[in-house]
């Protein structure tokens, strides 16, 4: 037999594209179109409906970047169409190649009811089924002219303040049309069979069977009358569509989804509208397809439509109650997990799950994070403590160096907690359920022979409208189809329960899920990252002092509502394209302003609580919000201003023959700064040990070209290290302060179009060299780092993460080690050899790298570098331009415990308030190994005190917590402050003491009921 396969396949493609698909809406009449351009920002729906519309027509250009145009379309159903299915086809000028990244619309009825969204693959509105002849059609469209910013080309359209006024779009079509059901069904038949056919091996008989069936169907199509011949053309396809799947075929749980970034290439306000459009589409689709199940994460997005679009939210609630609309995820937003602080991660679950419980009565079981840029090793414990059972992501499939070995596995965190985890092998969270994607999922699945199930999230994301009727048609045809994986539309929980039952002994992955891509997100948009770190620290302080005042100060009212509102604002900005610095300029401009407002409000809350505690008066009281005592001030308490806590600081010149400069010393630490302003010695006097590697200098600023292969704001590629410029020539080195309590040197430098002023300080009683760096940054596509070459033989580094730390290799023995050339750390990173180590602490930096080298003398230099600033040009062409103040410090002789303590001190500075009486801590713990992370009042407004603490050193700990108030009982809880199953019984002694035993990195949340204080209600 002659091989005519390519001819038939080409014929199928052309006939579908040019004749059959266009015939779905064959007969049409134009609608009358009118238009009103909203001035400035979007207006309320009522204002848009009541506006003064002017004439418009297909072909008109509309929409400057970020503008909103309202269209009023009207017409009548022709009498000849009576009894037919009629739809309005409203094409705003869509590019079908990029759903979610362009103009979008939301259709309303004249009474303001939202009907459905308009998107490239969803440009229709059903107006009659069956239609009545002469029936009037009147619809309104709120159209958003979101600019296309997905091209990775620097542009100023990413902010409405700098975007142009030129119209971006052209109305393509606004018609009434007959929806030809048989033609549409024929399209679905041919697309499913044609897509499956192309994925089967050329020698597979099933492929040829499908080819011949498609050929017979094409023969039956009358190209001059597609609608009239469509039903007959489907007949040759019925038999091959009915052929059942093999018993061993891969099983796919298809879950409707519409991954919507809470901000990215659009501002937060546009996401509110994207969510309304998508949810309107989803509930509209559910009305016609009761089998359709849709999963939506991010409580924040549902809270937005509850606030801004209550009529859409009411429809969502109906579908949640019906079991079709399924809340998942359990977090306030799909946050970054690398840089979010420990307590903030806990609050992501607290406020996310609490929203779903309060609004829908649903306790979500799956953590749904398909698109974050790597996953902290603290996550499994947090998942379990939130009351969740499963974890899902897809992003690790983006790793460039190593292919992750599992799709279904147990993920073990730093404390030993394991959570059942799935990576969809379809390798997308926006599947269209097409043949190519499903075949890829089945081929790619790594658990073959042991398990047989995977999950596929389907639907256009990022404002593309979510699932479509075409996708549901594919799912129906693929339920049990020979040659294809078996597809069932179902809830995520159905998949996880079946997958767990099938594969209970899945393999174990221990530690972080490091994404071998997007490492630049640890550094981009320094202002956003600094705002996050400071907000987290201030929230800790505000809750601590407010809880203390609520217990101790008569008449003080704990600011529950203010703190919850601020927490939710901070949690929103931890979304995985905001905190990582990968959003447009508009997003980060607003984020900086928001963080400034948060800081002002939190500082006012802190000051009010402290005034309530001290009562004012003569003298000064010093507050210590850190979890470790300092200068005689207890952790979580306050005391009158103490005297100097150590030997006086001395500052002496260095000999010119040695390179000039100065020596700073305080009896614990001696630091030598040469005439270049570089640290050539940092000597631990107690240990008799030099920290700086011989012949090298610390606090060395270095710049690298930073132009990744793609994804500017996201990526740092390893080849940046090939070229480096050391900034060693100073403009000046002077003494800025000289005193017994503190001595400070001032170093100034200029390079390129930028300048740096550094203050190097040593304090009495401190073993940290503090470096306060102010950079006026005006470079482009350049990376600024600061290096600390340390005389330490360390094969691994310890980097703080949420509720503990992770170890990473300093060598590159394997490709897995080599891929971690840029790593994330929170407040500190430490390297050590047995008996001695050193740490570098910081107040707002996350990106680091650690390398090792063996010197000629046989010693090893371990170099710790902080990534201070970047200057990518996409998606924000002005990333990081301007002034920045960054603080970091070197702690010679620091153990992990020292690093934990110094990191907290660095981020939680002392505060002063007028008064003279000390403030006793609300709670104390007698072991530095156990860190108090949060002290607050209970969410249920009962007045109970909630304390969250964790083991910080990586070993078992026994400790005693003592409450500074009468305690009736102590209960171990989960993150939602519910009694925790399996928690030990905590006994409270007569003097308010609770004995604790913690495993390495264990998180414990204690609810302390106050004696004499009534419970909630």
């Amino acid at each position: 037999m002659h091989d005519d396969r390519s001819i038939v396949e080409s014929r199928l493609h052309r006939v579908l594209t040019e004749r059959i698909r266009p015939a779905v809406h064959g007969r049409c009449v134009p609608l009358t179109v009118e238009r009103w351009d909203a001035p400035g920002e979007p207006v309320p729906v009522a204002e848009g409906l009541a506006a003064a519309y002017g004439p418009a027509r297909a072909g008109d250009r509309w929409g400057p970047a970020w503008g909103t145009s309202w269209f009023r379309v009207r017409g009548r159903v022709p009498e000849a169409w009576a009894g037919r299915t009629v739809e309005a086809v409203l094409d705003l000028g869509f590019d079908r190649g990029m759903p979610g990244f362009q103009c979008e619309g939301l259709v309303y009825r004249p009474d303001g009811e939202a009907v459905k969204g308009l998107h490239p693959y969803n440009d229709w509105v059903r107006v009659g089924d069956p239609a009545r002849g002469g029936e009037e059609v009147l619809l309104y469209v709120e159209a958003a002219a979101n600019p296309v910013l997905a091209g990775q080309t620097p542009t100023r359209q990413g902010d409405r303040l700098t975007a142009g006024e030129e119209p971006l779009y052209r109305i393509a079509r606004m018609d009434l049309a007959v929806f030809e059901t048989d033609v549409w069904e024929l399209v679905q038949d041919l697309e499913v069979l044609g897509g499956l056919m192309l994925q089967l091996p050329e020698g597979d008989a099933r492929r040829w069977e499908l080819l011949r069936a498609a050929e017979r169907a094409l023969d039956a199509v009358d190209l001059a009358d597609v609608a009239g011949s469509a039903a007959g053309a489907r007949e040759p396809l019925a038999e091959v569509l009915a052929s059942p799947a093999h018993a061993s075929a891969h099983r796919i749980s298809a879950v409707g989804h519409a991954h919507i970034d809470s901000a990215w290439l659009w501002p937060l306000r546009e996401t509110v509208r994207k969510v309304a459009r998508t949810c309107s589409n989803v509930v509209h689709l559910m009305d016609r397809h009761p089998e359709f199940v849709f999963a939506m994460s991010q409580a924040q997005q549902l809270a937005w439509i509850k606030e801004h679009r209550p009529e859409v939210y009411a429809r969502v609630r109906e579908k949640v109650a019906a079991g079709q609309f399924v809340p998942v995820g359990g977090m306030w937003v799909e946050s970054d997990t690398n840089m979010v602080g420990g307590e903030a991660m806990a609050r992501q679950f607290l406020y996310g799950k609490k929203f779903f419980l309060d609004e829908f009565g649903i306790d979500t079981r799956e953590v749904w994070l398909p698109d974050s840029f790597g996953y902290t090793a603290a996550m499994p414990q947090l998942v379990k403590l939130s009351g969740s059972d499963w974890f899902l992501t897809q992003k690790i499939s983006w790793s460039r160096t190593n292919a992750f070995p599992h799709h279904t596995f147990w993920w073990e965190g730093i404390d030993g907690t394991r959570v059942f985890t799935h990576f969809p092998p379809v390798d997308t969270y926006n599947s269209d359920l097409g043949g190519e994607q499903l075949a890829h999922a089945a081929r790619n699945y790594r658990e073959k022979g042991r398990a047989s199930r995977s999950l596929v999230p389907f639907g256009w994301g990022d404002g593309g409208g979510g699932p479509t009727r075409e996708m549901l048609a594919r799912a129906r045809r693929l339920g049990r189809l020979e040659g294809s994986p078996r597809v069932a539309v179902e809830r995520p929980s159905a998949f996880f329960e079946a997958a767990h039952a099938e594969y209970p002994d899945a393999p174990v992955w221990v530690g972080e899920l490091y994404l071998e891509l997007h490492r630049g997100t640890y550094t981009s948009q320094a202002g956003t990252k600094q705002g996050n770190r400071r907000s987290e620290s201030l929230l800790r302080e505000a809750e601590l002092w407010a809880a203390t005042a609520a217990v101790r100060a008569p008449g003080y009212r704990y600011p529950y509502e203010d703190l919850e509102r601020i927490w939710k604002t901070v949690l929103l900005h931890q979304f995985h394209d905001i905190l990582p610095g990968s959003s447009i300029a508009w997003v980060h401009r607003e984020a900086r302003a928001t963080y400034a407002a948060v800081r002002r409000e939190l500082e006012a809350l802190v000051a009010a609580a402290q005034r309530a505690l001290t009562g004012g008066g003569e003298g000064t009281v010093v507050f210590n919000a850190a979890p470790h005592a300092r200068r005689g001030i207890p952790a979580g308490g306050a005391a009158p201003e103490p005297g100097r806590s150590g030997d006086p600081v001395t500052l002496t010149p260095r000999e010119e023959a040695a390179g000039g400069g100065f020596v700073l010393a305080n009896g614990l630490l001696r630091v030598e700064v040469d005439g270049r302003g570089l640290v050539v010695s940092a000597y631990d006097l107690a240990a008799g040990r030099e920290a700086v590697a011989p012949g090298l200098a610390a606090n060395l600023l270095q710049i690298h070209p930073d132009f990744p292969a793609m994804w500017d704001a996201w990526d740092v590629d390893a080849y940046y290290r090939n070229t480096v410029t050391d900034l060693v020539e100073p403009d000046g080195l002077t003494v800025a302060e000289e005193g017994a309590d503190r001595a400070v040197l001032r170093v100034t430098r200029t390079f390129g179009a930028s300048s740096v002023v550094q203050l190097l300080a040593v304090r009495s009683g401190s073993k940290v060299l503090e470096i306060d760096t102010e950079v006026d940054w005006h470079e482009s596509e350049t990376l600024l780092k600061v290096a600390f070459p340390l005389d330490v033989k360390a094969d691994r580094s310890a980097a703080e993460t949420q509720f503990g730390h992770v170890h990473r290799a300093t060598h590159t023995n394997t490709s897995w080690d080599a891929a971690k050339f840029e790593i994330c750390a929170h407040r500190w990173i430490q390297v050590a050899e047995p008996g001695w180590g050193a740490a570098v602490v910081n107040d707002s930096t996350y990106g680091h790298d650690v390398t090792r080298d063996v010197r000629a003398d046989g010693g090893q230099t371990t170099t710790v570098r902080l990534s201070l600033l970047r200057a990518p040009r996409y998606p924000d062409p002005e990333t990081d331009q301007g002034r920045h103040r960054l603080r970091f410090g070197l702690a010679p002789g620091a153990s992990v415990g020292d690093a934990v303590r110094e990191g907290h001190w660095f981020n939680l500075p002392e505060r002063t308030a007028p008064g003279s009486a000390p403030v006793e801590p609300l709670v104390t713990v007698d072991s530095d190994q156990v860190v108090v992370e949060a002290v607050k009042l209970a969410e249920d407004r009962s007045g109970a005190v909630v304390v969250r603490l964790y083991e910080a050193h990586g070993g078992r700990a026994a400790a005693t917590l003592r409450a500074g108030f009468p305690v009736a009982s102590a209960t171990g809880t989960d993150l939602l402050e519910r009694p925790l199953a399996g928690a030990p019984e905590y006994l409270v002694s007569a003097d308010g003491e609770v004995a604790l035993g913690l495993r390495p990195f264990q998180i414990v949340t204690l609810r302390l009921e106050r004696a004499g204080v009534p419970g909630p209600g």
Side-chain angles (χ1 to χ4, degrees):
M1 179 177 176
H2 298 297
D3 184 355
D4 61 348
R5 176 179 50 83
S6 62
I7 293 294
V8 178
E9 291 171 357
S10 297
R11 178 190 178 194
L12 173 62
H13 173 76
R14 183 179 183 190
V15 173
L16 261 175
T17 302
E18 297 183 18
R19 298 300 173 89
I20 304 179
R21 287 197 195 102
V24 169
H25 289 116
R27 287 174 284 176
C28 63
V29 295
L31 289 160
T32 300
V33 184
E34 297 170 286
R35 169 179 156 193
W36 174 69
D37 296 323
E41 285 294 276
V43 301
V45 174
E47 185 176 339
L49 297 176
Y53 286 76
R57 61 181 180 179
D60 285 357
R61 299 182 69 198
W62 68 277
W66 307 115
T68 299
S69 293
W70 283 78
F71 297 98
R72 181 164 61 197
V73 297
R74 65 175 76 231
R76 288 190 182 276
V77 176
E79 293 290 347
W81 294 1
R84 304 299 301 273
T85 300
V86 177
E87 295 182 341
V89 181
L90 308 173
D91 187 339
L92 300 173
F94 297 125
D95 178 343
R96 308 204 182 263
M98 51 177 62
F101 298 93
Q102 56 183 297
C103 61
E104 301 168 35
L106 183 54
V107 180
Y108 300 91
R109 302 197 194 283
D111 62 1
E113 177 192 354
V115 181
K116 66 185 294 289
L118 293 178
H119 307 89
Y121 291 98
N122 221 322
D123 61 358
W124 54 272
V125 180
R126 183 69 55 90
V127 298
D129 187 15
R132 298 195 307 271
E135 179 180 1
E136 184 180 15
V137 176
L138 176 59
L139 299 171
Y140 291 79
V141 178
E142 179 190 21
N146 300 331
V148 176
L149 301 175
Q152 300 191 51
T153 300
T155 174
R156 297 198 176 273
Q157 285 194 323
D159 193 333
R160 65 180 177 83
L161 300 182
T162 56
E165 294 297 321
E166 194 71 15
L168 301 180
Y169 297 100
R170 191 181 300 274
I171 302 171
R173 179 181 183 185
M174 290 196 171
D175 295 335
L176 274 183
V178 173
F179 176 76
E180 300 288 357
T181 302
D182 285 334
V183 177
W184 185 85
E185 295 286 1
L186 176 61
V187 171
Q188 312 318 311
D189 291 346
L190 290 172
E191 284 187 343
V192 165
L193 295 175
L196 172 60
M197 175 181 67
L198 294 177
Q199 299 306 311
L200 296 173
E202 291 183 16
D204 192 318
R206 175 65 169 168
R207 176 166 180 159
W208 290 89
E209 183 181 38
L210 297 179
L211 183 82
R212 294 305 166 209
E215 184 178 39
R216 291 193 295 274
L218 294 175
D219 289 342
V221 174
D222 182 348
L223 298 183
D225 183 15
V226 174
S229 59
R234 296 187 66 202
E235 293 176 4
L237 304 176
E239 183 177 351
V240 292
L241 281 167
S243 182
H246 298 303
S248 61
H250 184 66
R251 297 174 182 267
I252 284 176
S253 296
V255 179
H257 185 47
H259 173 76
I260 301 177
D261 286 320
S262 288
W264 179 26
L265 302 180
W266 47 85
L268 290 168
R269 67 89 157 143
E270 191 57 30
T271 312
V272 177
R273 302 203 294 177
K274 283 177 176 280
V275 173
R277 296 177 197 120
T278 296
C279 287
S280 297
N281 263 1
V282 166
V283 297
H284 181 273
L285 202 57
M286 288 174 177
D287 287 339
R288 298 178 177 277
H289 299 276
E291 80 283 6
F292 173 39
V293 172
F294 177 81
M296 184 169 175
S297 65
Q298 305 194 69
Q300 170 69 86
Q301 295 188 356
L302 289 165
W304 273 333
I305 60 170
K306 180 184 179 183
E307 176 185 357
H308 297 283
R309 302 309 309 271
E311 78 286 2
V312 177
Y313 189 66
R315 294 279 286 130
V316 168
R317 287 179 60 88
E318 290 175 16
K319 298 304 183 183
V320 171
Q324 289 183 271
F325 197 113
V326 183
V328 294
M331 298 175 72
W332 189 247
V333 295
E334 289 184 10
S335 76
D336 171 78
T337 80
N338 290 311
M339 295 168 284
V340 173
E343 188 58 26
M345 284 295 298
R347 302 304 174 94
Q348 288 283 355
F349 287 105
L350 167 62
Y351 290 118
K353 293 200 65 161
K354 187 173 182 295
F355 181 90
F356 294 138
L357 279 164
D358 292 347
E359 294 293 320
F360 310 119
I362 292 175
D363 192 354
T364 55
R365 298 180 64 190
E366 55 281 293
V367 175
W368 188 278
L369 276 177
D371 191 31
S372 293
F373 308 144
Y375 303 91
T376 170
M379 183 64 83
Q381 185 176 191
L382 290 165
V383 170
K384 285 296 185 183
L385 287 176
S386 76
S388 302
D389 299 310
W390 311 305
F391 183 84
L392 178 141
T393 185
Q394 179 270 320
K395 199 69 171 187
I396 299 300
S397 69
W398 288 39
S399 287
R400 283 185 173 175
T401 305
N402 299 284
F404 196 80
H406 315 297
H407 283 113
T408 301
F409 60 100
W410 289 98
W411 179 20
E412 181 178 318
I414 54 175
D415 72 310
T417 298
R418 292 179 178 177
V419 61
F420 193 73
T421 299
H422 182 66
F423 291 176
V426 70
D427 287 346
T428 179
Y429 40 79
N430 294 319
S431 174
D432 62 3
L433 294 185
E436 181 178 0
Q437 291 179 355
L438 297 186
H440 174 77
R443 285 194 299 262
N444 189 38
Y445 185 60
R446 295 180 181 274
E447 319 307 322
K448 294 184 185 76
R450 296 186 181 273
S452 63
R453 299 174 182 273
S454 70
L455 186 148
V456 172
F458 70 94
W460 300 114
D462 287 320
T468 65
R469 58 188 177 186
E470 288 78 14
M471 294 176 190
L472 292 177
R474 290 172 198 147
R476 286 194 299 274
R477 287 162 172 79
L478 294 167
R480 293 182 62 84
L481 181 62
E482 182 186 354
S484 169
R486 288 176 284 181
V487 177
V489 177
E490 56 188 1
R491 300 163 66 95
S493 59
F495 162 76
F496 275 108
E497 287 169 347
H500 187 190
E502 179 185 48
Y503 202 23
D505 57 345
V508 177
W509 178 270
V510 178
E512 69 182 325
L513 295 171
Y514 178 92
L515 179 64
E516 296 171 354
L517 190 71
H518 293 355
R519 304 167 184 90
T521 58
Y522 311 150
T523 305
S524 295
Q525 297 287 0
T528 299
K529 290 172 170 58
Q530 191 167 75
N532 176 73
R533 179 79 68 85
R534 289 177 176 172
S535 297
E536 289 180 344
S537 296
L538 278 165
L539 277 161
R540 173 197 175 93
E541 292 188 68
E543 288 185 335
L544 170 64
W545 303 128
T548 306
V551 173
R552 297 273 175 72
Y556 178 84
R557 180 182 177 276
Y558 189 81
Y560 290 105
E561 294 80 9
D562 291 338
L563 288 170
E564 179 171 335
R565 172 177 46 79
I566 295 169
W567 262 118
K568 288 177 177 177
T569 297
V570 173
L571 299 179
L572 165 60
H573 286 81
Q574 291 172 342
F575 178 75
H576 66 252
D577 276 307
I578 303 179
L579 179 54
S582 47
S583 288
I584 56 174
W586 189 344
V587 173
H588 292 288
R589 172 173 57 81
E590 289 190 333
R592 291 190 293 271
T594 297
Y595 283 130
V598 163
R599 182 173 186 172
R600 290 191 297 270
E601 190 168 4
L602 286 173
E603 286 180 338
L605 290 176
V606 168
Q610 291 178 342
R611 284 196 303 271
L613 287 165
T614 65
E618 299 293 327
T620 300
V621 176
V622 181
F623 283 80
N624 174 23
H628 306 88
R630 57 180 160 190
R631 296 204 303 141
I633 306 168
E641 178 70 56
R644 190 168 62 244
S645 58
D647 293 346
V649 181
T650 62
L651 189 153
T652 57
R654 291 178 82 235
E655 295 182 3
E656 289 298 325
F662 298 90
V663 178
L664 301 89
N666 65 0
L668 299 172
L669 182 65
R670 186 181 71 236
V671 175
E672 297 188 33
V673 180
D674 70 8
R676 301 171 298 171
L678 302 179
V679 177
V680 293
S681 174
Y683 197 79
D684 178 354
L685 291 168
R689 177 72 183 258
E690 174 62 60
V692 179
L696 299 176
N699 187 38
L700 173 64
L701 294 170
Q702 299 176 304
I703 54 174
H704 299 267
D706 182 20
F707 189 67
M710 61 185 303
W711 300 111
D712 288 11
W714 292 258
D715 283 355
V716 168
D717 288 337
Y719 57 74
Y720 84 88
R721 291 180 176 172
N722 297 348
T723 305
V724 60
T725 301
D726 294 341
L727 304 180
V728 296
E729 296 300 325
D731 296 335
L733 171 63
T734 58
V735 176
E737 181 182 335
E738 185 174 3
D741 292 331
R742 189 173 83 139
V744 182
L745 300 177
R746 185 174 189 269
V747 183
T748 58
R749 304 183 193 279
T750 56
F751 57 95
S754 304
S755 61
V756 179
V757 177
Q758 288 191 303
L759 301 177
L760 283 66
V762 171
R763 297 177 186 269
S764 174
S766 171
K767 287 188 67 174
V768 177
L769 168 63
E770 301 174 18
I771 304 169
D772 192 328
T773 301
E774 186 170 310
V775 186
D776 189 10
W777 180 247
H778 296 284
E779 304 309 299
S780 179
E781 296 169 346
T782 301
L783 173 61
L784 176 66
K785 283 186 170 267
V786 61
F788 293 87
L790 304 173
D791 190 11
V792 178
K793 186 182 187 304
D795 291 335
R796 64 181 189 174
S797 64
E800 188 188 34
T801 191
Q802 298 89 350
F803 299 105
H805 57 269
V806 292
H807 289 109
R808 301 182 182 98
T810 61
H811 56 71
T812 56
N813 279 3
T814 71
S815 58
W816 297 87
D817 299 325
K820 295 179 182 178
F821 59 81
E822 184 80 1
I823 56 177
C824 183
H826 286 203
R827 288 168 287 215
W828 55 267
I829 191 164
Q830 188 253 9
V831 292
E833 58 191 47
W836 195 87
V840 178
V841 296
N842 73 83
D843 79 336
S844 57
T845 296
Y846 296 93
H848 296 73
D849 71 277
V850 183
T851 55
R852 64 188 294 277
D853 190 26
V854 176
R855 306 185 298 267
D857 66 4
Q860 179 182 313
T861 299
T862 302
T863 301
V864 176
R865 296 200 303 167
L866 287 72
S867 300
L868 301 180
L869 293 169
R870 299 186 65 216
R873 300 187 61 227
Y874 174 82
D876 177 4
E878 299 295 324
T879 301
D880 284 336
Q881 299 301 296
R883 291 188 175 275
H884 302 269
R885 184 186 176 197
L886 306 164
R887 295 177 60 246
F888 43 89
L890 174 63
S895 64
V896 162
D898 296 328
V900 171
R901 183 184 63 252
E902 297 291 353
H904 277 103
W905 284 354
F906 219 73
N907 284 267
L908 294 164
E910 297 172 354
R911 292 183 183 272
T912 60
S916 57
V919 177
E920 292 299 318
L922 206 55
V923 295
T924 58
V925 178
D926 65 357
S927 170
D928 277 356
Q929 197 174 341
V930 178
V931 170
V932 175
E933 180 76 0
V935 178
K936 61 188 286 291
L937 293 195
E939 293 292 317
D940 62 10
R941 312 301 202 253
S942 64
V945 174
V946 172
V947 181
R948 190 154 18 252
L949 41 81
Y950 68 100
E951 195 289 313
H953 294 187
R956 291 191 176 272
T960 300
L961 178 144
R962 186 178 185 280
F965 56 94
V967 177
S969 64
T971 305
T973 76
D974 65 9
L975 299 181
L976 277 69
E977 301 172 13
R978 304 173 295 193
L980 182 65
E985 181 181 1
Y986 292 103
L987 302 178
V988 183
S989 69
D991 55 358
E993 292 187 346
V994 180
L996 302 171
L998 285 80
R999 67 178 182 270
F1001 300 128
Q1002 183 182 0
I1003 303 165
V1004 172
T1005 304
L1006 286 179
R1007 178 188 175 99
L1008 306 177
E1009 301 290 349
R1010 293 158 59 194
V1013 176

